[in-house]
Every structure is written in structure tokens, then in C-alpha cells.
Short mmCIF file of all heavy atoms in Angstrom, two decimals:
data_model
loop_
_atom_site.label_atom_id
_atom_site.label_comp_id
_atom_site.label_asym_id
_atom_site.label_seq_id
_atom_site.Cartn_x
_atom_site.Cartn_y
_atom_site.Cartn_z
N ASP H 224 -38.25 0.91 4.99
CA ASP H 224 -37.16 1.47 4.20
C ASP H 224 -37.49 1.18 2.74
O ASP H 224 -37.51 0.02 2.32
CB ASP H 224 -35.83 0.81 4.61
CG ASP H 224 -34.62 1.48 3.94
OD1 ASP H 224 -34.79 2.07 2.85
OD2 ASP H 224 -33.51 1.39 4.51
N HIS H 225 -37.80 2.22 1.97
CA HIS H 225 -38.25 2.02 0.59
C HIS H 225 -37.18 1.38 -0.29
O HIS H 225 -37.50 0.83 -1.35
CB HIS H 225 -38.69 3.35 -0.01
CG HIS H 225 -39.95 3.88 0.58
ND1 HIS H 225 -39.99 5.03 1.34
CD2 HIS H 225 -41.23 3.40 0.56
CE1 HIS H 225 -41.24 5.26 1.73
NE2 HIS H 225 -42.00 4.29 1.28
N ARG H 226 -35.95 1.42 0.11
CA ARG H 226 -34.90 0.77 -0.67
C ARG H 226 -35.02 -0.74 -0.59
O ARG H 226 -34.46 -1.45 -1.43
CB ARG H 226 -33.53 1.23 -0.17
CG ARG H 226 -33.31 2.74 -0.28
CD ARG H 226 -32.01 3.17 0.37
NE ARG H 226 -31.98 2.82 1.79
CZ ARG H 226 -30.88 2.90 2.55
NH1 ARG H 226 -29.74 3.31 2.02
NH2 ARG H 226 -30.94 2.55 3.83
N LEU H 227 -35.76 -1.24 0.41
CA LEU H 227 -35.97 -2.67 0.57
C LEU H 227 -37.22 -3.17 -0.13
O LEU H 227 -37.29 -4.33 -0.54
CB LEU H 227 -36.09 -3.01 2.07
CG LEU H 227 -34.79 -3.12 2.85
CD1 LEU H 227 -35.09 -3.13 4.34
CD2 LEU H 227 -34.02 -4.36 2.46
N ASN H 228 -38.25 -2.31 -0.28
CA ASN H 228 -39.52 -2.81 -0.81
C ASN H 228 -39.93 -2.20 -2.14
O ASN H 228 -41.04 -2.46 -2.64
CB ASN H 228 -40.64 -2.62 0.21
CG ASN H 228 -40.99 -1.16 0.47
OD1 ASN H 228 -40.51 -0.26 -0.21
ND2 ASN H 228 -41.84 -0.92 1.46
N THR H 229 -39.08 -1.39 -2.73
CA THR H 229 -39.43 -0.66 -3.97
C THR H 229 -38.28 -0.72 -4.94
O THR H 229 -37.12 -0.77 -4.55
CB THR H 229 -39.79 0.80 -3.63
OG1 THR H 229 -40.79 0.81 -2.61
CG2 THR H 229 -40.33 1.53 -4.84
N ARG H 230 -38.61 -0.70 -6.23
CA ARG H 230 -37.60 -0.90 -7.28
C ARG H 230 -37.58 0.29 -8.25
O ARG H 230 -38.63 0.75 -8.70
CB ARG H 230 -37.93 -2.18 -8.04
CG ARG H 230 -37.01 -2.53 -9.17
CD ARG H 230 -37.53 -3.72 -9.97
NE ARG H 230 -37.37 -5.00 -9.29
CZ ARG H 230 -38.35 -5.67 -8.70
NH1 ARG H 230 -39.58 -5.18 -8.72
NH2 ARG H 230 -38.12 -6.84 -8.12
N THR H 231 -36.39 0.76 -8.56
CA THR H 231 -36.21 1.76 -9.63
C THR H 231 -35.62 1.05 -10.84
O THR H 231 -34.71 0.23 -10.72
CB THR H 231 -35.28 2.89 -9.16
OG1 THR H 231 -36.01 3.75 -8.27
CG2 THR H 231 -34.79 3.74 -10.33
N VAL H 232 -36.16 1.38 -12.02
CA VAL H 232 -35.74 0.74 -13.28
C VAL H 232 -35.51 1.83 -14.32
O VAL H 232 -36.33 2.73 -14.47
CB VAL H 232 -36.82 -0.23 -13.79
CG1 VAL H 232 -36.35 -0.93 -15.06
CG2 VAL H 232 -37.19 -1.26 -12.72
N TYR H 233 -34.42 1.74 -15.05
CA TYR H 233 -34.20 2.65 -16.17
C TYR H 233 -35.05 2.19 -17.35
O TYR H 233 -35.07 1.01 -17.71
CB TYR H 233 -32.73 2.66 -16.58
CG TYR H 233 -31.81 3.32 -15.58
CD1 TYR H 233 -30.58 2.74 -15.25
CD2 TYR H 233 -32.14 4.52 -14.97
CE1 TYR H 233 -29.71 3.36 -14.34
CE2 TYR H 233 -31.31 5.14 -14.06
CZ TYR H 233 -30.10 4.55 -13.75
OH TYR H 233 -29.26 5.15 -12.84
N LEU H 234 -35.78 3.14 -17.96
CA LEU H 234 -36.64 2.84 -19.09
C LEU H 234 -36.26 3.69 -20.30
O LEU H 234 -35.61 4.72 -20.17
CB LEU H 234 -38.11 3.10 -18.74
CG LEU H 234 -38.76 2.23 -17.66
CD1 LEU H 234 -40.22 2.61 -17.51
CD2 LEU H 234 -38.61 0.75 -17.98
N ASN H 235 -36.72 3.24 -21.46
CA ASN H 235 -36.51 4.01 -22.69
C ASN H 235 -37.37 5.27 -22.67
O ASN H 235 -38.34 5.35 -21.90
CB ASN H 235 -36.83 3.15 -23.92
CG ASN H 235 -38.30 2.74 -23.93
OD1 ASN H 235 -39.18 3.52 -24.28
ND2 ASN H 235 -38.58 1.48 -23.54
N PRO H 236 -37.04 6.27 -23.49
CA PRO H 236 -37.77 7.55 -23.44
C PRO H 236 -39.26 7.44 -23.70
O PRO H 236 -40.07 8.17 -23.09
CB PRO H 236 -37.08 8.39 -24.53
CG PRO H 236 -35.71 7.78 -24.67
CD PRO H 236 -35.90 6.31 -24.41
N ILE H 237 -39.69 6.53 -24.58
CA ILE H 237 -41.11 6.39 -24.88
C ILE H 237 -41.86 5.85 -23.67
O ILE H 237 -42.91 6.38 -23.28
CB ILE H 237 -41.33 5.47 -26.10
CG1 ILE H 237 -40.73 6.13 -27.36
CG2 ILE H 237 -42.82 5.19 -26.30
CD1 ILE H 237 -40.80 5.25 -28.59
N SER H 238 -41.30 4.81 -23.05
CA SER H 238 -41.94 4.26 -21.86
C SER H 238 -41.95 5.28 -20.71
O SER H 238 -42.92 5.36 -19.95
CB SER H 238 -41.23 2.98 -21.41
OG SER H 238 -41.49 1.92 -22.30
N ARG H 239 -40.89 6.04 -20.60
CA ARG H 239 -40.84 7.06 -19.55
C ARG H 239 -41.91 8.12 -19.78
O ARG H 239 -42.52 8.61 -18.82
CB ARG H 239 -39.47 7.71 -19.50
CG ARG H 239 -38.44 6.93 -18.71
CD ARG H 239 -37.11 7.64 -18.67
NE ARG H 239 -37.25 9.03 -18.23
CZ ARG H 239 -36.31 9.96 -18.38
NH1 ARG H 239 -35.16 9.65 -18.97
NH2 ARG H 239 -36.51 11.18 -17.93
N PHE H 240 -42.17 8.47 -21.04
CA PHE H 240 -43.22 9.45 -21.33
C PHE H 240 -44.59 8.88 -20.95
O PHE H 240 -45.40 9.55 -20.31
CB PHE H 240 -43.21 9.84 -22.80
CG PHE H 240 -44.40 10.67 -23.21
CD1 PHE H 240 -44.46 12.02 -22.91
CD2 PHE H 240 -45.48 10.09 -23.86
CE1 PHE H 240 -45.57 12.78 -23.26
CE2 PHE H 240 -46.59 10.84 -24.22
CZ PHE H 240 -46.63 12.20 -23.91
N ILE H 241 -44.84 7.66 -21.37
CA ILE H 241 -46.13 7.04 -21.06
C ILE H 241 -46.30 6.90 -19.55
O ILE H 241 -47.37 7.18 -19.01
CB ILE H 241 -46.23 5.65 -21.73
CG1 ILE H 241 -46.20 5.80 -23.26
CG2 ILE H 241 -47.49 4.93 -21.29
CD1 ILE H 241 -46.09 4.47 -23.99
N TYR H 242 -45.22 6.52 -18.89
CA TYR H 242 -45.26 6.20 -17.45
C TYR H 242 -44.99 7.41 -16.58
O TYR H 242 -45.05 7.32 -15.35
CB TYR H 242 -44.21 5.11 -17.20
CG TYR H 242 -44.35 4.32 -15.93
CD1 TYR H 242 -45.60 4.03 -15.38
CD2 TYR H 242 -43.24 3.84 -15.28
CE1 TYR H 242 -45.72 3.30 -14.22
CE2 TYR H 242 -43.34 3.09 -14.12
CZ TYR H 242 -44.58 2.82 -13.60
OH TYR H 242 -44.68 2.09 -12.44
N TRP H 243 -44.73 8.53 -17.17
CA TRP H 243 -44.48 9.78 -16.46
C TRP H 243 -43.42 9.63 -15.36
O TRP H 243 -43.59 10.08 -14.23
CB TRP H 243 -45.79 10.35 -15.89
CG TRP H 243 -46.33 11.48 -16.72
CD1 TRP H 243 -45.87 11.90 -17.92
CD2 TRP H 243 -47.44 12.34 -16.40
NE1 TRP H 243 -46.61 12.97 -18.38
CE2 TRP H 243 -47.59 13.25 -17.47
CE3 TRP H 243 -48.31 12.41 -15.33
CZ2 TRP H 243 -48.57 14.22 -17.49
CZ3 TRP H 243 -49.30 13.38 -15.34
CH2 TRP H 243 -49.43 14.28 -16.41
N ASN H 244 -42.32 8.97 -15.74
CA ASN H 244 -41.13 8.85 -14.88
C ASN H 244 -41.38 8.08 -13.59
O ASN H 244 -40.55 8.14 -12.68
CB ASN H 244 -40.56 10.23 -14.53
CG ASN H 244 -39.85 10.88 -15.70
OD1 ASN H 244 -39.32 10.20 -16.58
ND2 ASN H 244 -39.85 12.20 -15.73
N MET H 245 -42.48 7.33 -13.52
CA MET H 245 -42.72 6.55 -12.29
C MET H 245 -41.78 5.36 -12.16
O MET H 245 -41.82 4.64 -11.17
CB MET H 245 -44.17 6.06 -12.26
CG MET H 245 -45.14 7.11 -11.76
SD MET H 245 -44.79 7.62 -10.05
CE MET H 245 -44.11 9.23 -10.35
N ASN H 246 -40.93 5.14 -13.18
CA ASN H 246 -39.91 4.10 -13.06
C ASN H 246 -38.90 4.48 -11.98
O ASN H 246 -38.21 3.61 -11.44
CB ASN H 246 -39.20 3.89 -14.39
CG ASN H 246 -38.66 5.16 -14.99
OD1 ASN H 246 -39.43 6.05 -15.36
ND2 ASN H 246 -37.35 5.27 -15.12
N TYR H 247 -38.81 5.78 -11.64
CA TYR H 247 -37.98 6.21 -10.52
C TYR H 247 -38.82 6.03 -9.25
O TYR H 247 -39.22 7.00 -8.59
CB TYR H 247 -37.54 7.66 -10.69
CG TYR H 247 -36.65 7.88 -11.89
CD1 TYR H 247 -37.10 8.56 -13.01
CD2 TYR H 247 -35.34 7.41 -11.88
CE1 TYR H 247 -36.28 8.76 -14.12
CE2 TYR H 247 -34.49 7.60 -12.98
CZ TYR H 247 -34.98 8.27 -14.09
OH TYR H 247 -34.16 8.46 -15.17
N HIS H 248 -39.09 4.78 -8.90
CA HIS H 248 -40.13 4.53 -7.91
C HIS H 248 -39.64 4.63 -6.48
O HIS H 248 -40.40 5.03 -5.58
CB HIS H 248 -40.80 3.18 -8.17
CG HIS H 248 -42.26 3.20 -7.86
ND1 HIS H 248 -43.16 3.98 -8.53
CD2 HIS H 248 -42.98 2.55 -6.91
CE1 HIS H 248 -44.37 3.82 -8.03
NE2 HIS H 248 -44.29 2.95 -7.04
N VAL H 249 -38.40 4.24 -6.22
CA VAL H 249 -37.85 4.43 -4.88
C VAL H 249 -37.84 5.92 -4.57
O VAL H 249 -38.25 6.36 -3.47
CB VAL H 249 -36.43 3.86 -4.75
CG1 VAL H 249 -35.88 4.10 -3.36
CG2 VAL H 249 -36.42 2.37 -5.07
N GLU H 250 -37.40 6.70 -5.52
CA GLU H 250 -37.32 8.15 -5.34
C GLU H 250 -38.71 8.74 -5.08
O GLU H 250 -38.89 9.59 -4.20
CB GLU H 250 -36.72 8.80 -6.59
CG GLU H 250 -35.28 8.41 -6.88
CD GLU H 250 -35.13 7.10 -7.62
OE1 GLU H 250 -36.10 6.31 -7.70
OE2 GLU H 250 -34.03 6.83 -8.12
N HIS H 251 -39.70 8.25 -5.84
CA HIS H 251 -41.06 8.76 -5.66
C HIS H 251 -41.60 8.43 -4.27
O HIS H 251 -42.25 9.27 -3.63
CB HIS H 251 -41.99 8.17 -6.72
CG HIS H 251 -43.43 8.38 -6.43
ND1 HIS H 251 -44.04 9.61 -6.46
CD2 HIS H 251 -44.40 7.49 -6.06
CE1 HIS H 251 -45.32 9.49 -6.14
NE2 HIS H 251 -45.56 8.22 -5.88
N HIS H 252 -41.36 7.21 -3.80
CA HIS H 252 -41.89 6.84 -2.48
C HIS H 252 -41.18 7.59 -1.36
O HIS H 252 -41.79 7.90 -0.34
CB HIS H 252 -41.79 5.33 -2.28
CG HIS H 252 -43.03 4.61 -2.68
ND1 HIS H 252 -44.07 4.37 -1.82
CD2 HIS H 252 -43.42 4.09 -3.88
CE1 HIS H 252 -45.04 3.73 -2.45
NE2 HIS H 252 -44.66 3.54 -3.71
N MET H 253 -39.90 7.84 -1.52
CA MET H 253 -39.19 8.62 -0.50
C MET H 253 -39.69 10.05 -0.44
O MET H 253 -39.86 10.63 0.64
CB MET H 253 -37.69 8.62 -0.78
CG MET H 253 -36.93 7.45 -0.23
SD MET H 253 -35.16 7.84 -0.24
CE MET H 253 -34.49 6.28 0.36
N PHE H 254 -39.94 10.64 -1.61
CA PHE H 254 -40.33 12.04 -1.69
C PHE H 254 -41.53 12.19 -2.63
O PHE H 254 -41.40 12.65 -3.77
CB PHE H 254 -39.15 12.89 -2.18
CG PHE H 254 -37.93 12.79 -1.31
CD1 PHE H 254 -36.88 11.94 -1.64
CD2 PHE H 254 -37.83 13.54 -0.14
CE1 PHE H 254 -35.76 11.83 -0.83
CE2 PHE H 254 -36.70 13.45 0.67
CZ PHE H 254 -35.68 12.59 0.33
N PRO H 255 -42.73 11.77 -2.17
CA PRO H 255 -43.90 11.71 -3.06
C PRO H 255 -44.42 13.06 -3.53
O PRO H 255 -45.23 13.10 -4.45
CB PRO H 255 -44.95 11.00 -2.19
CG PRO H 255 -44.52 11.22 -0.78
CD PRO H 255 -43.03 11.26 -0.82
N MET H 256 -43.95 14.16 -2.94
CA MET H 256 -44.43 15.46 -3.39
C MET H 256 -43.53 16.09 -4.44
O MET H 256 -43.75 17.23 -4.83
CB MET H 256 -44.58 16.40 -2.19
CG MET H 256 -45.57 15.90 -1.14
SD MET H 256 -47.14 15.33 -1.85
CE MET H 256 -47.80 16.86 -2.49
N VAL H 257 -42.54 15.35 -4.91
CA VAL H 257 -41.72 15.83 -6.03
C VAL H 257 -42.45 15.49 -7.32
O VAL H 257 -42.77 14.33 -7.57
CB VAL H 257 -40.32 15.17 -6.01
CG1 VAL H 257 -39.54 15.52 -7.28
CG2 VAL H 257 -39.55 15.60 -4.77
N PRO H 258 -42.74 16.47 -8.20
CA PRO H 258 -43.46 16.20 -9.44
C PRO H 258 -42.72 15.24 -10.35
O PRO H 258 -41.49 15.11 -10.28
CB PRO H 258 -43.57 17.59 -10.09
CG PRO H 258 -43.40 18.56 -8.97
CD PRO H 258 -42.46 17.90 -8.00
N TYR H 259 -43.48 14.59 -11.22
CA TYR H 259 -42.90 13.56 -12.10
C TYR H 259 -41.75 14.10 -12.95
O TYR H 259 -40.77 13.40 -13.21
CB TYR H 259 -43.99 12.98 -13.00
CG TYR H 259 -44.41 13.88 -14.14
CD1 TYR H 259 -43.85 13.76 -15.40
CD2 TYR H 259 -45.38 14.87 -13.95
CE1 TYR H 259 -44.23 14.59 -16.45
CE2 TYR H 259 -45.76 15.70 -14.98
CZ TYR H 259 -45.19 15.56 -16.24
OH TYR H 259 -45.56 16.40 -17.26
N HIS H 260 -41.85 15.36 -13.41
CA HIS H 260 -40.84 15.90 -14.32
C HIS H 260 -39.53 16.19 -13.60
O HIS H 260 -38.49 16.38 -14.24
CB HIS H 260 -41.35 17.16 -15.03
CG HIS H 260 -41.90 18.21 -14.10
ND1 HIS H 260 -41.09 19.05 -13.38
CD2 HIS H 260 -43.18 18.54 -13.78
CE1 HIS H 260 -41.85 19.86 -12.65
NE2 HIS H 260 -43.12 19.57 -12.87
N ALA H 261 -39.54 16.21 -12.25
CA ALA H 261 -38.32 16.46 -11.48
C ALA H 261 -37.69 15.17 -10.95
O ALA H 261 -36.62 15.22 -10.33
CB ALA H 261 -38.62 17.40 -10.32
N LEU H 262 -38.33 14.02 -11.17
CA LEU H 262 -37.80 12.77 -10.63
C LEU H 262 -36.43 12.40 -11.18
O LEU H 262 -35.58 11.89 -10.43
CB LEU H 262 -38.79 11.63 -10.86
CG LEU H 262 -40.04 11.66 -9.97
CD1 LEU H 262 -40.99 10.53 -10.34
CD2 LEU H 262 -39.66 11.57 -8.50
N PRO H 263 -36.13 12.63 -12.48
CA PRO H 263 -34.76 12.34 -12.93
C PRO H 263 -33.70 13.15 -12.18
O PRO H 263 -32.63 12.63 -11.86
CB PRO H 263 -34.81 12.70 -14.42
CG PRO H 263 -36.23 12.52 -14.81
CD PRO H 263 -37.01 12.98 -13.61
N LYS H 264 -33.99 14.41 -11.89
CA LYS H 264 -33.05 15.23 -11.13
C LYS H 264 -32.92 14.71 -9.70
O LYS H 264 -31.82 14.68 -9.14
CB LYS H 264 -33.52 16.69 -11.11
CG LYS H 264 -33.43 17.39 -12.45
CD LYS H 264 -33.89 18.85 -12.33
CE LYS H 264 -33.80 19.57 -13.67
NZ LYS H 264 -34.28 20.98 -13.55
#
């Protein structure tokens, strides 16, 4: 269960640009085929 082993963190816009929204990491692991630009949605 990715909610148990993965962490999502809100980041500032500059860090989010550098990191390409990978701070939404639980979301990414649940649905890895969602592109980085759609992770906030």
C-alpha cells in the first residue's frame, strides 16, 4: 500500500519545477503512467 511506504510533500514552485512534480510521490507510485505535469490534478 503506497500510502504506507511513500510520502507526498508540498513544495515551492521553484523546487517543483526542478523536481518535475515528483513531490506528489504517493500519487506517482499509484499511477506511474500519469505524466509529471498532470500530477497536481
Side-chain angles (χ1 to χ4, degrees):
D224 187 334
H225 290 113
R226 300 174 301 170
L227 281 167
N228 67 8
T229 307
R230 179 188 285 104
T231 285
V232 182
Y233 290 136
L234 295 183
N235 63 77
I237 295 176
S238 288
R239 277 181 52 195
F240 171 78
I241 296 172
Y242 199 33
W243 258 8
N244 287 332
M245 278 298 107
N246 53 295
Y247 296 109
H248 215 63
V249 179
E250 296 83 345
H251 167 68
H252 267 271
M253 274 196 183
F254 302 98
M256 299 313 293
V257 172
Y259 76 94
H260 52 78
L262 287 177
K264 291 182 180 178

